[in-house]
Amino acid sequence: MPYKHVKIAGTGSYLPDRVVTNDDLAVKLDTNDEWIFSHTGIRQRRIADDSQSPVDMAFEASQKALAEAGMEPDELGMILLSTCTGDYNYLPSSACLLQHRLGANNAGAFDLLAACSGFVYCLEMARCWAVCNQKPVLIVANEMLSRITDWESRETCILFGDGAAAVILTPSRENGLLYSYLGADGENSRLLYVDGGSRLARGREPIAPSYVQMQGRTTFSIAVRALEQVVLKILKDNKLQIEDIAHIIPHQANMRILETLAKRLNIPIERLHANIDRVANTSSASIPILLDELKEQGKLKPNDLILTVAFGGGLTYGGNLIRWQPES
Ligand code: ACO
């Protein structure tokens, strides 16, 4: 009998060694630790070394997840990589570069672009593929936002950090991914974008570097509403109360966003897991990095319900309801 469900069989994450504090940024920018921390909750971020490429980070995180799952790379059926910062511009995909580095010789591989919501999108896409094909999927959320950040813009560069995290999803008798909700709002695509791309006709002259552009205030208020809507929908569709959820893992965009969300949900802020003070916003990697940290800290218990909730450029939003190490 084919397995009808999937479960998480391994996780791993990778953060670059270099720590950049708010004080470090204040050396070159008109900003300071007090402003950044009070407006974002961020104290520091990890930034990749110039010699590292994004796929180097994906490789490290993937190896840890494979080791935990006790799986060899050639057992994988698919690699699904979420990123806004591919090693190349669209071609080849970072997933294909990773497939070769790992020696995952029996796997298909492709990138998925849903910005900060990329991991919650990947989980659901991977569930569908794994159940249809009865093979394990490697999901990697891999973001080197330092490469698309304007380090002279104090409005944006304070927000972002680099990092990667990987999850192995295997077909399973037990149900480890109970539900996902995915949405998009393309009407607001210009709130958060990186310019360039193929909509522009090109000459042969080199193009200027493209950086993240963001309307912070508007993004903030739309983010709060979207996150609240996702949490309430997941609870309602699964006939759950917020008290039934052992761990809420939100995308780490801004601590003020999380505080406003907690107020709207009428829960103490401590109910929302956070590591933004140490790693800043790592886009789609933020949820699986936090998931891996909680696992390493021994905070996730068998059968715990975990709710993920994300919001990002596109605009995209969504969340998952996970059962951790489900017992039959
Ligand atoms: N240091 C000091 N002052 C600053 C800084 C800084 N780093 N940045 C902005 N300021 C100043 C501004 O110039 C402005 O000065 P003025 O009043 O003299 O004009 C003042 O501070 C207020 O600026 P705002 O932009 O209105 O500040 P705000 O309180 O809105 O905070 C922030 C800005 C942190 C960007 C916030 O709007 C935010 O977090 N928005 C959401 C970001 C987000 O979630 N993005 C989505 C995810 S990213 C992704 O998908 C890749």
Side-chain angles (χ1 to χ4, degrees):
M1 274 291 281
Y3 291 138
K4 286 188 191 157
H5 305 297
V6 289
K7 67 177 177 188
I8 292 176
T11 70
S13 61
Y14 172 81
L15 293 172
D17 291 337
R18 180 163 36 147
V19 174
V20 175
T21 65
N22 293 344
D23 288 336
D24 293 333
L25 294 181
V27 172
K28 289 191 179 156
L29 285 171
D30 181 14
T31 189
N32 55 71
D33 178 59
E34 197 281 324
W35 193 97
I36 299 173
F37 186 71
S38 62
H39 284 73
T40 68
I42 297 167
R43 288 277 191 212
Q44 62 180 50
R45 67 284 296 140
R46 301 295 192 93
I47 300 295
D49 189 81
D50 289 353
S51 65
Q52 287 180 296
S53 82
V55 167
D56 293 338
M57 302 196 306
F59 180 69
E60 298 290 337
S62 302
Q63 283 198 309
K64 290 180 191 164
L66 282 163
E68 189 180 85
M71 198 175 281
E72 295 299 325
D74 61 7
E75 294 176 60
L76 293 169
M78 183 60 71
I79 297 175
L80 190 42
L81 188 146
S82 162
T83 192
C84 306
T85 52
D87 276 33
Y88 290 83
N89 273 338
Y90 312 119
L91 259 178
S93 72
S94 292
C96 282
L97 301 177
L98 179 65
Q99 177 266 338
H100 177 61
R101 281 277 288 279
L102 289 170
N105 299 322
N106 300 310
F110 67 103
D111 288 358
L112 181 148
L113 177 51
C116 303
S117 310
F119 179 73
V120 301
Y121 267 64
C122 277
L123 264 188
E124 177 60 8
M125 295 303 113
R127 181 190 69 79
C128 296
W129 193 89
V131 170
C132 279
N133 293 278
Q134 295 291 298
K135 288 180 188 152
V137 180
L138 167 65
I139 301 169
V140 194
N142 191 48
E143 307 282 8
M144 204 175 268
L145 288 163
S146 61
R147 300 278 162 90
I148 57 166
T149 296
D150 179 357
W151 289 97
E152 292 179 6
S153 161
R154 66 177 185 174
E155 282 80 16
T156 51
C157 79
I158 57 160
L159 297 172
F160 301 119
D162 299 335
V167 161
I168 308 281
L169 211 65
T170 53
S172 153
R173 187 173 294 113
E174 303 82 25
N175 193 353
L177 178 57
L178 306 175
Y179 175 91
S180 297
Y181 170 51
L182 308 176
D185 168 19
E187 192 180 352
N188 279 311
S189 55
R190 294 290 285 184
L191 287 182
L192 195 53
Y193 67 97
V194 180
D195 218 338
S198 304
R199 78 183 196 288
L200 304 170
R202 293 241 169 102
R204 292 191 67 85
E205 67 279 6
I207 49 165
S210 300
Y211 299 126
V212 174
Q213 310 282 337
M214 186 179 67
Q215 292 179 39
R217 278 274 158 112
T218 317
T219 307
F220 189 109
S221 39
I222 293 181
V224 168
R225 285 202 300 276
L227 293 169
E228 181 190 22
Q229 185 217 332
V230 171
V231 173
L232 295 178
K233 178 155 177 63
I234 293 176
L235 294 175
K236 180 165 177 267
D237 288 0
N238 293 279
K239 299 185 174 53
L240 293 169
Q241 304 296 317
I242 199 124
E243 296 74 30
D244 299 323
I245 308 294
H247 303 280
I248 306 170
I249 307 185
H251 169 50
Q252 308 286 299
N254 183 326
M255 202 59 207
R256 302 293 91 82
I257 291 180
L258 300 188
E259 285 164 2
T260 313
L261 176 66
K263 273 199 196 109
R264 291 170 83 124
L265 294 171
N266 203 18
I267 55 174
I269 183 64
E270 294 73 28
R271 292 284 339 263
L272 302 179
H273 285 297
N275 63 2
I276 190 169
D277 58 327
R278 289 178 285 114
V279 301
N281 178 352
T282 56
S283 191
S284 67
S286 81
I287 288 175
I289 288 173
L290 197 40
L291 180 75
D292 189 53
E293 280 185 12
L294 294 169
K295 180 205 73 184
E296 288 294 315
Q297 293 161 3
K299 292 187 177 158
L300 307 179
K301 308 289 180 221
N303 285 323
D304 272 357
L305 284 180
I306 300 172
L307 189 155
T308 67
V309 55
F311 168 88
L315 301 176
T316 57
Y317 53 90
N320 319 104
L321 186 64
I322 296 165
R323 191 179 289 286
W324 187 251
Q325 293 174 351
E327 291 165 343
S328 47

